Amino acid sequence: MNVKTLTLAALCGLSIAGQAQAAVTSTGIINATLQLTNGCLINGSPAQSGVNFGTLDFGVHPATFSNLTATLSSGGGSSFGIRCTDGVSYTVEVVSSKNSAPTTVIGTVGTPPRYLISTTDATQGIAYSLYSDSGLSTAIDNGMLTKTSTTNNIDNYTLYGGIKGGGSSTAVKAGIYTDEINIRVTY
């Protein structure tokens, strides 16, 4: 055998060996996970802080008013609604109001005391109370609220506001008076 024949045979052998080698395939997995915790929707929102429970608007009246009432208004009408994941128990409570007692108070101070404070003169305030009924006979203290109804698996909570023994005097300053009522849902 000569050198040329041997080289040609060796090259052919390498070419055939390369063609006979199979492709290699690697397989594996990617894990996908999700952990869900119990949750509640408040007025349809899953937010856990800064939730809009609604507005207790006493309206626009002459500063010489006597008694005033207000009904909570929210996305759900005259109440706020809570719906939690199945099997979750929860509590709803009025925690506090933002304002402390001003220097001059108009109206009958309730228990606990709550004050609408003038946005232009923080020494002026109107006392008000929260109630669970439209007749303003059952005052709401800071603490647990009782649901008023359940519709489509949504528990509804209604609040009323009352100002008793108002000004009926020209000493009440005209203007806008505000407060914030803090509500907590624990589940």
Side-chain angles (χ1 to χ4, degrees):
M1 199 190 253
N2 72 26
V3 176
K4 288 183 184 179
T5 307
L6 186 57
T7 306
L8 182 60
L11 288 175
C12 287
L14 287 175
S15 176
I16 292 170
Q19 291 175 356
Q21 189 178 26
V24 176
T25 303
S26 295
T27 62
I29 62 171
I30 295 174
N31 292 313
T33 64
L34 168 66
Q35 180 179 357
L36 297 175
T37 60
N38 289 324
C40 294
L41 298 175
I42 301 168
N43 285 341
S45 171
Q48 294 183 344
S49 63
V51 175
N52 181 359
F53 285 89
T55 302
L56 193 62
D57 187 354
F58 287 94
V60 178
H61 301 280
T64 55
F65 71 91
S66 180
N67 295 321
L68 300 174
T69 61
T71 302
L72 177 72
S73 63
S74 70
S78 62
S79 63
F80 62 87
I82 299 177
R83 181 176 184 181
C84 295
T85 50
D86 288 341
V88 172
S89 61
Y90 67 92
T91 58
V92 180
E93 59 186 313
V94 175
V95 180
S96 63
S97 296
K98 177 182 175 184
N99 298 329
S100 56
T103 307
T104 303
V105 176
I106 304 297
T108 304
V109 178
T111 303
R114 301 185 197 283
Y115 305 97
L116 295 162
I117 302 293
S118 170
T119 58
T120 58
D121 183 355
T123 66
Q124 300 293 307
I126 308 291
Y128 74 101
S129 294
L130 298 177
Y131 297 90
S132 61
D133 63 307
S134 62
L136 308 183
S137 61
T138 307
I140 295 175
D141 197 350
N142 289 339
M144 302 300 175
L145 293 178
T146 303
K147 68 181 173 186
T148 52
S149 67
T150 301
T151 307
N152 298 324
N153 295 322
I154 299 172
D155 295 333
N156 298 301
Y157 295 82
T158 304
L159 292 175
Y160 300 91
I163 299 172
K164 297 180 178 181
S168 291
S169 132
T170 56
V172 179
K173 292 186 176 185
I176 298 172
Y177 290 74
T178 65
D179 191 14
E180 293 176 4
I181 303 161
N182 298 305
I183 304 290
R184 178 171 49 217
V185 178
T186 306
Y187 54 93

